[in-house]
Amino acid sequence: MPLFSRKKSKNTEATISTEDEVMGYIDELYRKRVPISICLKKKWVHSDILFFDEKNKLIRIQQDLLPALANGTDLTVGFALDRTWWTFKTKYANVNDKPHLLVPKGINHTERRRNLRCSFTAREQVKVTVLEGLGSGNGVFGMAVDISTGGISLTIEKAMYLANEREIPPSENLFKPGTKLALVKINRIPGCQLMELSGIAKRVWRDGRWRIAIEFTNLSKKDYAAITRFIEPRTLEFKPVKRSKKRREEMDERRATPRPGSSGKERGDEDGGDNETSTASSTATEKAPPATAAKATATPTEPKPAATPAADSDRPTLLIFGDDILTEVPFLNAGNSPFEVVVCNTPIRAVKVITEDNPALILCGTEFKGRAITEVLEKINNMGVLKDKKVVVCGNDLTSKDLIKLKMMKIETVVPLPIKTAGEFLAALNS
């Protein structure tokens, strides 16, 4: 996350034009779940990228967002990345009755903001209080992310109903776009005094954490000058981040290369690297001297400590969404676990394991990567990879709405936590 933003210049626009770089940017959007905005006839709709088909150069988007379109309809797509705005021209494609966009030839940097802005460091801890009304409506408290003379964005640390001061969970409906805000109180901007302004809520969204963007409506000359003095020394001319799809894949391959002494299936890393298994023959080859490596590989005379036990191949594969849940089901980490456990820490990795390894069981908690598990499962289910798969949700705080969503996806097994033994788990599955 860059600290510095762009500086006014005659050459602030940039174009990503090589195929590898374009693929790198689209891959970044898909892996990091960055939403895209699609413009048709001056109206914008928003979607996540459900799947990135690199081979056929297709971007799968959410269903029912666009009216019935003919193949080849021209569209404009925009997205926020690297704290700036990008757009590209593309065409609509209906593939197997599913909506897709064609991967573009180029991506253009199209800064929408009229004002310079900059980010705050974690140490600066700029506190912001937002009140919809004085004693009415909603209110939030959070930490500023970035600021300009036109507005501010912040993470939502706490939200409440002001009438009774009851805390409420953040959501997109906390402030509708255009909601007038009676008070925006900003404290501890370095070199600036306490500011008390009014504003307008632009949007509330989730980017790992819940955030809100606010537009100032009555910025005084004094506050304008103070913010400008704070921003200007921190701004640099914009330079696009270089991304390469090929380079990222090469890095993933290096991470997936077996290391001496490794055994079992390794948990998926943050970038979705492939799991690796270490066999008796590979272990023998790695540990044998060069002169005897071939012989050791062909006829190993004794088992190696790092070799995967033969019995492991008879165990059914259990896919787990994230490793947090392992603290609640400790028996899965034990040597006598009835399952061969594969942990996936990214949605893309989970989809790959489901489609390629066909696990006997899929286990998940109530959240995954900061999102409700129902939201994650819905998107994966829309891709068709959960059909006929046994999915088990573990948790104690599922709402009736969540249970209905799971039932609609034909996921009916919900197991309360904690589960201490394999016997308890297997009994819950059969109940």
Side-chain angles (χ1 to χ4, degrees), residues 189-221:
I189 296 179
C192 302
Q193 296 181 348
L194 173 69
M195 297 181 185
E196 294 186 350
L197 319 165
S198 60
I200 297 175
K202 301 299 290 183
R203 68 179 179 126
V204 178
W205 77 102
R206 191 168 190 170
D207 181 15
R209 305 181 65 178
W210 283 102
R211 298 191 179 194
I212 178 174
I214 297 170
E215 179 184 342
F216 299 142
T217 56
N218 68 335
L219 193 65
S220 67
K221 291 182 179 180

mmCIF file of all heavy atoms in Angstrom, residues 189-221:
data_model
loop_
_atom_site.group_PDB
_atom_site.id
_atom_site.type_symbol
_atom_site.label_atom_id
_atom_site.label_comp_id
_atom_site.label_asym_id
_atom_site.label_seq_id
_atom_site.Cartn_x
_atom_site.Cartn_y
_atom_site.Cartn_z
ATOM 1 N N ILE A 189 -4.174 14.883 12.881
ATOM 2 C CA ILE A 189 -3.424 14.989 11.631
ATOM 3 C C ILE A 189 -2.129 15.742 11.954
ATOM 4 O O ILE A 189 -2.173 16.835 12.519
ATOM 5 C CB ILE A 189 -4.211 15.757 10.562
ATOM 6 C CG1 ILE A 189 -5.482 15.006 10.187
ATOM 7 C CG2 ILE A 189 -3.348 15.962 9.312
ATOM 8 C CD1 ILE A 189 -6.320 15.720 9.149
ATOM 9 N N PRO A 190 -0.967 15.184 11.650
ATOM 10 C CA PRO A 190 0.296 15.846 11.992
ATOM 11 C C PRO A 190 0.352 17.284 11.477
ATOM 12 O O PRO A 190 0.125 17.549 10.294
ATOM 13 C CB PRO A 190 1.353 14.977 11.305
ATOM 14 C CG PRO A 190 0.725 13.616 11.251
ATOM 15 C CD PRO A 190 -0.729 13.870 11.010
ATOM 16 N N GLY A 191 0.623 18.216 12.388
ATOM 17 C CA GLY A 191 0.739 19.619 12.018
ATOM 18 C C GLY A 191 -0.578 20.347 11.885
ATOM 19 O O GLY A 191 -0.598 21.531 11.530
ATOM 20 N N CYS A 192 -1.706 19.673 12.171
ATOM 21 C CA CYS A 192 -3.032 20.289 12.031
ATOM 22 C C CYS A 192 -3.778 20.244 13.362
ATOM 23 O O CYS A 192 -3.608 19.315 14.154
ATOM 24 C CB CYS A 192 -3.865 19.581 10.972
ATOM 25 S SG CYS A 192 -3.127 19.542 9.333
ATOM 26 N N GLN A 193 -4.612 21.243 13.566
ATOM 27 C CA GLN A 193 -5.458 21.257 14.751
ATOM 28 C C GLN A 193 -6.674 20.365 14.538
ATOM 29 O O GLN A 193 -6.934 19.880 13.432
ATOM 30 C CB GLN A 193 -5.897 22.687 15.063
ATOM 31 C CG GLN A 193 -4.754 23.620 15.423
ATOM 32 C CD GLN A 193 -5.243 25.024 15.745
ATOM 33 O OE1 GLN A 193 -6.399 25.354 15.498
ATOM 34 N NE2 GLN A 193 -4.365 25.840 16.311
ATOM 35 N N LEU A 194 -7.426 20.128 15.602
ATOM 36 C CA LEU A 194 -8.672 19.368 15.526
ATOM 37 C C LEU A 194 -9.603 20.005 14.494
ATOM 38 O O LEU A 194 -9.798 21.225 14.489
ATOM 39 C CB LEU A 194 -9.351 19.344 16.895
ATOM 40 C CG LEU A 194 -10.746 18.727 16.950
ATOM 41 C CD1 LEU A 194 -10.673 17.222 16.713
ATOM 42 C CD2 LEU A 194 -11.404 19.016 18.290
ATOM 43 N N MET A 195 -10.189 19.191 13.622
ATOM 44 C CA MET A 195 -11.112 19.687 12.605
ATOM 45 C C MET A 195 -12.502 19.121 12.842
ATOM 46 O O MET A 195 -12.655 17.920 13.083
ATOM 47 C CB MET A 195 -10.641 19.278 11.199
ATOM 48 C CG MET A 195 -9.308 19.859 10.797
ATOM 49 S SD MET A 195 -8.856 19.350 9.112
ATOM 50 C CE MET A 195 -7.210 20.049 8.995
ATOM 51 N N GLU A 196 -13.494 19.971 12.784
ATOM 52 C CA GLU A 196 -14.889 19.554 12.891
ATOM 53 C C GLU A 196 -15.637 20.062 11.670
ATOM 54 O O GLU A 196 -15.849 21.270 11.520
ATOM 55 C CB GLU A 196 -15.509 20.068 14.191
ATOM 56 C CG GLU A 196 -14.894 19.434 15.440
ATOM 57 C CD GLU A 196 -15.607 19.839 16.716
ATOM 58 O OE1 GLU A 196 -16.461 20.756 16.650
ATOM 59 O OE2 GLU A 196 -15.342 19.233 17.768
ATOM 60 N N LEU A 197 -16.019 19.135 10.779
ATOM 61 C CA LEU A 197 -16.607 19.484 9.498
ATOM 62 C C LEU A 197 -17.951 18.788 9.342
ATOM 63 O O LEU A 197 -18.341 17.955 10.159
ATOM 64 C CB LEU A 197 -15.680 19.039 8.357
ATOM 65 C CG LEU A 197 -14.173 19.252 8.556
ATOM 66 C CD1 LEU A 197 -13.412 18.434 7.537
ATOM 67 C CD2 LEU A 197 -13.831 20.723 8.414
ATOM 68 N N SER A 198 -18.642 19.090 8.275
ATOM 69 C CA SER A 198 -19.798 18.295 7.854
ATOM 70 C C SER A 198 -19.428 17.627 6.542
ATOM 71 O O SER A 198 -18.453 18.016 5.883
ATOM 72 C CB SER A 198 -21.037 19.175 7.679
ATOM 73 O OG SER A 198 -20.812 20.182 6.694
ATOM 74 N N GLY A 199 -20.192 16.610 6.170
ATOM 75 C CA GLY A 199 -19.822 15.884 4.963
ATOM 76 C C GLY A 199 -20.972 15.096 4.376
ATOM 77 O O GLY A 199 -22.119 15.161 4.850
ATOM 78 N N ILE A 200 -20.642 14.316 3.350
ATOM 79 C CA ILE A 200 -21.602 13.450 2.669
ATOM 80 C C ILE A 200 -20.960 12.078 2.520
ATOM 81 O O ILE A 200 -19.812 11.966 2.085
ATOM 82 C CB ILE A 200 -21.972 14.005 1.280
ATOM 83 C CG1 ILE A 200 -22.671 15.350 1.401
ATOM 84 C CG2 ILE A 200 -22.852 13.017 0.516
ATOM 85 C CD1 ILE A 200 -22.953 16.015 0.056
ATOM 86 N N ALA A 201 -21.699 11.032 2.896
ATOM 87 C CA ALA A 201 -21.197 9.667 2.737
ATOM 88 C C ALA A 201 -21.200 9.292 1.258
ATOM 89 O O ALA A 201 -22.218 9.415 0.582
ATOM 90 C CB ALA A 201 -22.063 8.691 3.524
ATOM 91 N N LYS A 202 -20.055 8.881 0.750
ATOM 92 C CA LYS A 202 -19.956 8.483 -0.654
ATOM 93 C C LYS A 202 -20.218 6.992 -0.829
ATOM 94 O O LYS A 202 -20.968 6.582 -1.699
ATOM 95 C CB LYS A 202 -18.569 8.832 -1.206
ATOM 96 C CG LYS A 202 -18.238 10.317 -1.129
ATOM 97 C CD LYS A 202 -19.222 11.146 -1.935
ATOM 98 C CE LYS A 202 -19.067 10.939 -3.427
ATOM 99 N NZ LYS A 202 -19.980 11.804 -4.212
ATOM 100 N N ARG A 203 -19.588 6.183 0.002
ATOM 101 C CA ARG A 203 -19.854 4.740 -0.053
ATOM 102 C C ARG A 203 -19.255 4.050 1.161
ATOM 103 O O ARG A 203 -18.304 4.541 1.781
ATOM 104 C CB ARG A 203 -19.296 4.108 -1.337
ATOM 105 C CG ARG A 203 -17.783 4.064 -1.447
ATOM 106 C CD ARG A 203 -17.365 3.392 -2.747
ATOM 107 N NE ARG A 203 -15.914 3.350 -2.900
ATOM 108 C CZ ARG A 203 -15.221 2.241 -3.135
ATOM 109 N NH1 ARG A 203 -15.836 1.090 -3.208
ATOM 110 N NH2 ARG A 203 -13.904 2.276 -3.289
ATOM 111 N N VAL A 204 -19.829 2.895 1.490
ATOM 112 C CA VAL A 204 -19.303 2.016 2.532
ATOM 113 C C VAL A 204 -19.005 0.684 1.858
ATOM 114 O O VAL A 204 -19.850 0.135 1.147
ATOM 115 C CB VAL A 204 -20.316 1.825 3.672
ATOM 116 C CG1 VAL A 204 -19.770 0.860 4.726
ATOM 117 C CG2 VAL A 204 -20.668 3.165 4.318
ATOM 118 N N TRP A 205 -17.813 0.160 2.041
ATOM 119 C CA TRP A 205 -17.440 -1.085 1.378
ATOM 120 C C TRP A 205 -16.493 -1.880 2.262
ATOM 121 O O TRP A 205 -16.015 -1.406 3.293
ATOM 122 C CB TRP A 205 -16.795 -0.800 0.024
ATOM 123 C CG TRP A 205 -15.372 -0.329 0.057
ATOM 124 C CD1 TRP A 205 -14.263 -1.062 -0.198
ATOM 125 C CD2 TRP A 205 -14.900 1.003 0.374
ATOM 126 N NE1 TRP A 205 -13.135 -0.289 -0.076
ATOM 127 C CE2 TRP A 205 -13.491 0.975 0.261
ATOM 128 C CE3 TRP A 205 -15.534 2.203 0.727
ATOM 129 C CZ2 TRP A 205 -12.708 2.099 0.511
ATOM 130 C CZ3 TRP A 205 -14.749 3.320 0.967
ATOM 131 C CH2 TRP A 205 -13.365 3.271 0.863
ATOM 132 N N ARG A 206 -16.258 -3.108 1.840
ATOM 133 C CA ARG A 206 -15.373 -3.988 2.601
ATOM 134 C C ARG A 206 -14.150 -4.327 1.776
ATOM 135 O O ARG A 206 -14.265 -4.819 0.647
ATOM 136 C CB ARG A 206 -16.108 -5.276 2.983
ATOM 137 C CG ARG A 206 -15.347 -6.118 4.005
ATOM 138 C CD ARG A 206 -16.236 -7.207 4.558
ATOM 139 N NE ARG A 206 -15.615 -7.868 5.693
ATOM 140 C CZ ARG A 206 -16.241 -8.719 6.487
ATOM 141 N NH1 ARG A 206 -17.517 -8.988 6.267
ATOM 142 N NH2 ARG A 206 -15.627 -9.285 7.493
ATOM 143 N N ASP A 207 -12.991 -4.058 2.327
ATOM 144 C CA ASP A 207 -11.719 -4.359 1.690
ATOM 145 C C ASP A 207 -10.835 -5.018 2.745
ATOM 146 O O ASP A 207 -9.866 -4.440 3.219
ATOM 147 C CB ASP A 207 -11.080 -3.078 1.148
ATOM 148 C CG ASP A 207 -9.753 -3.341 0.452
ATOM 149 O OD1 ASP A 207 -9.487 -4.519 0.141
ATOM 150 O OD2 ASP A 207 -8.976 -2.394 0.254
ATOM 151 N N GLY A 208 -11.195 -6.255 3.111
ATOM 152 C CA GLY A 208 -10.564 -6.876 4.273
ATOM 153 C C GLY A 208 -11.235 -6.372 5.540
ATOM 154 O O GLY A 208 -11.750 -7.127 6.349
ATOM 155 N N ARG A 209 -11.259 -5.052 5.709
ATOM 156 C CA ARG A 209 -11.965 -4.395 6.807
ATOM 157 C C ARG A 209 -13.013 -3.461 6.216
ATOM 158 O O ARG A 209 -12.912 -3.037 5.060
ATOM 159 C CB ARG A 209 -10.983 -3.616 7.686
ATOM 160 C CG ARG A 209 -9.837 -4.455 8.211
ATOM 161 C CD ARG A 209 -8.909 -3.647 9.088
ATOM 162 N NE ARG A 209 -9.572 -3.204 10.305
ATOM 163 C CZ ARG A 209 -8.967 -2.498 11.268
ATOM 164 N NH1 ARG A 209 -7.717 -2.137 11.112
ATOM 165 N NH2 ARG A 209 -9.621 -2.136 12.350
ATOM 166 N N TRP A 210 -14.023 -3.119 7.019
ATOM 167 C CA TRP A 210 -15.053 -2.195 6.554
ATOM 168 C C TRP A 210 -14.499 -0.780 6.496
ATOM 169 O O TRP A 210 -13.778 -0.345 7.398
ATOM 170 C CB TRP A 210 -16.272 -2.240 7.476
ATOM 171 C CG TRP A 210 -17.121 -3.446 7.230
ATOM 172 C CD1 TRP A 210 -17.166 -4.593 7.971
ATOM 173 C CD2 TRP A 210 -18.039 -3.628 6.142
ATOM 174 N NE1 TRP A 210 -18.053 -5.485 7.420
ATOM 175 C CE2 TRP A 210 -18.605 -4.920 6.302
ATOM 176 C CE3 TRP A 210 -18.437 -2.846 5.062
ATOM 177 C CZ2 TRP A 210 -19.550 -5.426 5.406
ATOM 178 C CZ3 TRP A 210 -19.365 -3.355 4.178
ATOM 179 C CH2 TRP A 210 -19.919 -4.623 4.353
ATOM 180 N N ARG A 211 -14.838 -0.066 5.415
ATOM 181 C CA ARG A 211 -14.345 1.297 5.221
ATOM 182 C C ARG A 211 -15.472 2.201 4.778
ATOM 183 O O ARG A 211 -16.496 1.739 4.266
ATOM 184 C CB ARG A 211 -13.227 1.325 4.179
ATOM 185 C CG ARG A 211 -12.006 0.508 4.570
ATOM 186 C CD ARG A 211 -10.840 0.769 3.648
ATOM 187 N NE ARG A 211 -9.666 0.011 4.027
ATOM 188 C CZ ARG A 211 -8.456 0.237 3.567
ATOM 189 N NH1 ARG A 211 -8.251 1.214 2.708
ATOM 190 N NH2 ARG A 211 -7.432 -0.497 3.952
ATOM 191 N N ILE A 212 -15.268 3.499 4.948
ATOM 192 C CA ILE A 212 -16.223 4.496 4.486
ATOM 193 C C ILE A 212 -15.463 5.651 3.852
ATOM 194 O O ILE A 212 -14.395 6.054 4.356
ATOM 195 C CB ILE A 212 -17.127 5.005 5.644
ATOM 196 C CG1 ILE A 212 -18.094 6.086 5.126
ATOM 197 C CG2 ILE A 212 -16.305 5.522 6.806
ATOM 198 C CD1 ILE A 212 -19.119 6.536 6.146
ATOM 199 N N ALA A 213 -15.974 6.157 2.755
ATOM 200 C CA ALA A 213 -15.412 7.339 2.087
ATOM 201 C C ALA A 213 -16.376 8.494 2.270
ATOM 202 O O ALA A 213 -17.595 8.342 2.104
ATOM 203 C CB ALA A 213 -15.190 7.055 0.607
ATOM 204 N N ILE A 214 -15.833 9.661 2.618
ATOM 205 C CA ILE A 214 -16.643 10.835 2.946
ATOM 206 C C ILE A 214 -16.163 12.029 2.133
ATOM 207 O O ILE A 214 -14.952 12.251 1.991
ATOM 208 C CB ILE A 214 -16.537 11.157 4.457
ATOM 209 C CG1 ILE A 214 -17.118 9.995 5.284
ATOM 210 C CG2 ILE A 214 -17.250 12.459 4.797
ATOM 211 C CD1 ILE A 214 -16.830 10.117 6.768
ATOM 212 N N GLU A 215 -17.102 12.793 1.628
ATOM 213 C CA GLU A 215 -16.793 14.041 0.934
ATOM 214 C C GLU A 215 -17.051 15.215 1.873
ATOM 215 O O GLU A 215 -18.089 15.274 2.535
ATOM 216 C CB GLU A 215 -17.680 14.177 -0.311
ATOM 217 C CG GLU A 215 -17.451 15.474 -1.086
ATOM 218 C CD GLU A 215 -18.405 15.618 -2.259
ATOM 219 O OE1 GLU A 215 -19.005 14.604 -2.681
ATOM 220 O OE2 GLU A 215 -18.566 16.759 -2.758
ATOM 221 N N PHE A 216 -16.085 16.146 1.953
ATOM 222 C CA PHE A 216 -16.273 17.344 2.789
ATOM 223 C C PHE A 216 -17.261 18.306 2.107
ATOM 224 O O PHE A 216 -17.254 18.441 0.878
ATOM 225 C CB PHE A 216 -14.942 18.069 3.009
ATOM 226 C CG PHE A 216 -13.908 17.242 3.723
ATOM 227 C CD1 PHE A 216 -12.559 17.315 3.372
ATOM 228 C CD2 PHE A 216 -14.261 16.380 4.754
ATOM 229 C CE1 PHE A 216 -11.601 16.560 4.030
ATOM 230 C CE2 PHE A 216 -13.310 15.624 5.421
ATOM 231 C CZ PHE A 216 -11.984 15.715 5.050
ATOM 232 N N THR A 217 -18.065 18.992 2.925
ATOM 233 C CA THR A 217 -19.017 19.957 2.355
ATOM 234 C C THR A 217 -18.793 21.384 2.833
ATOM 235 O O THR A 217 -19.300 22.314 2.228
ATOM 236 C CB THR A 217 -20.471 19.544 2.686
ATOM 237 O OG1 THR A 217 -20.621 19.414 4.111
ATOM 238 C CG2 THR A 217 -20.827 18.222 2.017
ATOM 239 N N ASN A 218 -18.071 21.588 3.908
ATOM 240 C CA ASN A 218 -17.873 22.960 4.400
ATOM 241 C C ASN A 218 -16.444 23.197 4.875
ATOM 242 O O ASN A 218 -16.220 23.737 5.958
ATOM 243 C CB ASN A 218 -18.860 23.260 5.538
ATOM 244 C CG ASN A 218 -18.554 22.445 6.794
ATOM 245 O OD1 ASN A 218 -17.957 21.374 6.704
ATOM 246 N ND2 ASN A 218 -18.945 22.958 7.952
ATOM 247 N N LEU A 219 -15.481 22.795 4.052
ATOM 248 C CA LEU A 219 -14.087 22.944 4.443
ATOM 249 C C LEU A 219 -13.707 24.422 4.445
ATOM 250 O O LEU A 219 -13.796 25.108 3.419
ATOM 251 C CB LEU A 219 -13.199 22.173 3.472
ATOM 252 C CG LEU A 219 -11.743 21.962 3.889
ATOM 253 C CD1 LEU A 219 -11.661 21.091 5.130
ATOM 254 C CD2 LEU A 219 -10.967 21.310 2.740
ATOM 255 N N SER A 220 -13.291 24.920 5.599
ATOM 256 C CA SER A 220 -12.911 26.333 5.712
ATOM 257 C C SER A 220 -11.562 26.577 5.046
ATOM 258 O O SER A 220 -10.802 25.638 4.770
ATOM 259 C CB SER A 220 -12.824 26.730 7.183
ATOM 260 O OG SER A 220 -11.758 26.062 7.822
ATOM 261 N N LYS A 221 -11.265 27.849 4.762
ATOM 262 C CA LYS A 221 -9.974 28.190 4.154
ATOM 263 C C LYS A 221 -8.826 27.765 5.059
ATOM 264 O O LYS A 221 -7.776 27.311 4.568
ATOM 265 C CB LYS A 221 -9.918 29.693 3.890
ATOM 266 C CG LYS A 221 -10.864 30.163 2.788
ATOM 267 C CD LYS A 221 -10.709 31.655 2.549
ATOM 268 C CE LYS A 221 -11.636 32.133 1.425
ATOM 269 N NZ LYS A 221 -11.502 33.585 1.164
#
